[in-house]
Amino acid sequence: MFTLFQSLKRFTITERQAVLAVLALYFLGLVLVVLIELITPSFHNGVYVLGALGGAILFGIAWLVYFKHNWAPIRYFAAVASSLLVGFFLPEPFVSQYAPMAVVIPTVLALILTSSFWVIITAILTISILLVRAGGGGVYTHPETLILYFMIVGGLLARRLMAEASVRQLKEAQEATKQKEKRFRALVENSSDEISILDASGTLIYKSPSSNPTLGYPSVAFISKNFSKLVHPDDQELIQKILRDLMHDPSCHTRERFRLLHQNKTWRWVEAVGTNMLSEPSVRGIVLNYHDVTERVQAEEQIQRQLKRLNGLRMIDIAIGSSLDVQVTLDVVLQQTISLLGVDACTVLLVNPKLKTIECIASRGFRSEAPPYQDLDLGRGYAGRAVRERQVVHISEVMET
């Protein structure tokens, strides 16, 4: 029995299927009434059988119309028709002496097929016809009968109102959810931030759609692939640390910068905030909100280079102004030049215009303590070329020259 109840809980039926089932049930019920009266005639007169036969025909036609055309007004027609059939064809003694269960059939049908308004209409219509047929007297004028009748109708009406309220609340909730999803999608698609969701292993399971994606890829390009495939080799360890920290402490919100591979094969700097939402049923992942900060990083690096250059010039200026020893001054110049240019070695060459030579007067970073250049003719080598052209000479493939 418990298994049967569990199965009924999982059973679902559409509105169309329910209407067709009820119409078919009423049709078959009236056909059985006609057959029973024909096989075993009772004290009822022929009007009762005629009413049952007419009702079977009406409900059969209603079933066919609704099945073929899905015509919604047929439901209201069926509810009113049942009231008329019961009111006009219910035989004696059920009009003046006894109130049978059949009098609530129209109300039950209206409860299933129509709205709460039609539940009231069918109840009043049925009882009004029966009162008229009874000449304004009979069982339906008794207070006890009317109280019981309207208790049943009231209960059915309350049930219908509850069902309508539930459907209305469900529709309102669905509409609210739809509006929230619409707003969220609009915000995500037009936001400068992008959202990626990773599972515990780092596999990308969601990527927010964007009208201007940071990395140039379609939102589904890397779904089900590991996020680390997009990360710069030098930032791989940082990404693993971020994921470990988020897994270890779900309450933390890590903010870091790292590089991701753009569709055009360049590396873009992004600033990301990670949030562990693995325990959230609607997410079940690690959420990364990130945006492109490449221009900002490049500007910061440019500022740092300028500050470093200015500091180097300041150190050279201090050396020139505070020391009378030329070698000390040149040594500071070499130190700052190596630091600013990021080279391994450096030398200072002095042009002797009288001898038309270039002399090495200071050097730093060379393996040998001997001067890297002896006196050079101005017409030879890259140094001589720089003197002649008065401009910087860049040497490509220096190891091959």
Side-chain angles (χ1 to χ4, degrees):
M1 185 64 70
F2 179 76
T3 306
L4 177 61
F5 287 146
Q6 291 296 108
S7 300
L8 289 175
K9 285 183 180 180
R10 292 192 295 268
F11 180 74
T12 57
I13 186 171
T14 64
E15 182 182 13
R16 172 180 167 81
Q17 291 171 339
V19 172
L20 289 173
V22 170
L23 293 176
L25 181 64
Y26 275 63
F27 168 75
L28 293 175
L30 290 169
V31 169
L32 287 175
V33 168
V34 172
L35 292 176
I36 291 172
E37 289 296 323
L38 292 176
I39 295 172
T40 57
S42 63
F43 61 88
H44 303 311
N45 55 35
V47 176
Y48 173 69
V49 178
L50 183 62
L53 181 60
I57 294 172
L58 287 176
F59 278 99
I61 293 173
W63 188 93
L64 286 173
V65 171
Y66 194 78
F67 178 77
K68 289 186 176 181
H69 304 287
N70 203 31
W71 192 45
I74 205 70
R75 297 179 298 170
Y76 304 95
F77 167 79
V80 174
S82 66
S83 292
L84 297 176
L85 288 171
V86 171
F88 285 113
F89 294 98
L90 193 67
E92 287 287 0
F94 303 120
V95 176
S96 59
Q97 300 179 32
Y98 303 105
M101 293 179 58
V103 297
V104 298
I105 287 178
T107 307
V108 173
L109 187 62
L111 172 72
I112 299 172
L113 298 183
T114 63
S115 62
S116 55
F117 173 77
W118 289 95
V119 172
I120 299 173
I121 292 298
T122 54
I124 294 175
L125 180 62
T126 303
I127 204 72
S128 298
I129 295 173
L130 291 173
L131 281 171
V132 171
R133 285 184 62 193
V139 67
Y140 297 107
T141 60
H142 295 172
E144 297 88 348
T145 303
L146 292 175
I147 290 172
L148 290 173
Y149 179 72
F150 285 108
M151 283 175 62
I152 296 172
V153 172
L156 295 175
L157 179 61
R159 182 66 187 89
R160 182 68 196 188
L161 290 172
M162 290 171 58
E164 289 179 354
S166 298
V167 171
R168 184 169 58 254
Q169 291 173 359
L170 178 61
K171 288 182 178 179
E172 290 174 354
Q174 290 175 339
E175 183 63 26
T177 301
K178 188 182 296 183
Q179 290 299 322
K180 287 181 180 178
E181 290 178 350
K182 189 176 180 180
R183 282 197 300 270
F184 174 76
R185 183 172 294 276
L187 289 172
V188 168
E189 290 182 354
N190 295 284
S191 172
S192 58
D193 279 21
E194 295 191 31
I195 302 173
S196 292
I197 301 179
L198 316 178
D199 64 12
S201 66
T203 300
L204 188 66
I205 58 177
Y206 172 80
K207 168 70 170 60
S208 62
S210 175
S211 57
N212 186 25
T214 299
L215 302 179
Y217 302 104
S219 59
V220 297
F222 280 86
I223 297 296
S224 300
K225 297 180 181 178
N226 199 284
F227 186 72
S228 61
K229 291 184 177 181
L230 292 172
V231 180
H232 191 281
D234 294 342
D235 297 330
Q236 292 285 346
E237 187 175 344
L238 174 62
I239 292 297
Q240 295 304 318
K241 180 181 180 299
I242 293 173
L243 294 177
R244 285 196 303 269
D245 291 344
L246 290 172
M247 293 292 292
H248 178 71
D249 183 9
S251 64
C252 78
H253 298 277
T254 306
R255 182 184 294 272
E256 295 287 353
R257 286 181 180 178
F258 49 86
R259 286 159 289 183
L260 295 176
L261 184 63
H262 193 275
Q263 190 179 31
N264 61 12
K265 304 305 179 183
T266 62
W267 294 102
R268 306 294 293 181
W269 280 97
V270 299
E271 186 173 75
V273 177
T275 306
N276 186 339
M277 300 188 72
L278 288 166
S279 59
E280 176 62 40
S282 60
V283 180
R284 296 191 183 279
I286 295 174
V287 181
L288 290 180
N289 295 73
Y290 60 91
H291 57 276
D292 193 337
V293 293
T294 303
E295 285 73 19
R296 187 195 306 174
V297 171
Q298 291 172 346
E300 291 173 355
E301 291 176 347
Q302 178 65 20
I303 291 172
Q304 291 299 320
R305 285 194 296 268
Q306 290 176 350
L307 290 174
K308 188 176 181 180
R309 187 179 298 111
L310 290 173
N311 186 62
L313 293 174
R314 176 174 172 273
M315 295 297 294
I316 293 172
D317 184 61
I318 292 174
I320 293 173
S322 61
S323 177
L324 299 176
D325 189 337
V326 176
Q327 290 301 320
V328 172
T329 302
L330 290 176
D331 190 54
V332 173
V333 171
L334 291 171
Q335 289 179 10
Q336 295 302 320
T337 302
I338 290 174
S339 176
L340 291 174
L341 296 180
V343 295
D344 298 322
C346 186
T347 185
V348 177
L349 301 178
L350 183 64
V351 177
N352 188 331
K354 292 182 179 180
L355 299 178
K356 295 185 179 181
T357 58
I358 301 173
E359 303 171 1
C360 177
I361 60 172
S363 63
R364 186 181 183 87
F366 292 96
R367 295 180 181 179
S368 174
E369 295 182 0
Y373 299 99
Q374 302 298 329
D375 293 347
L376 297 176
D377 187 358
L378 279 178
R380 299 174 54 192
Y382 291 107
R385 177 182 168 189
V387 173
R388 292 194 309 273
E389 297 179 0
R390 304 289 181 174
Q391 63 182 10
V392 177
V393 176
H394 295 280
I395 307 170
S396 59
E397 306 294 341
V398 67
M399 295 300 294
E400 298 179 3
T401 58

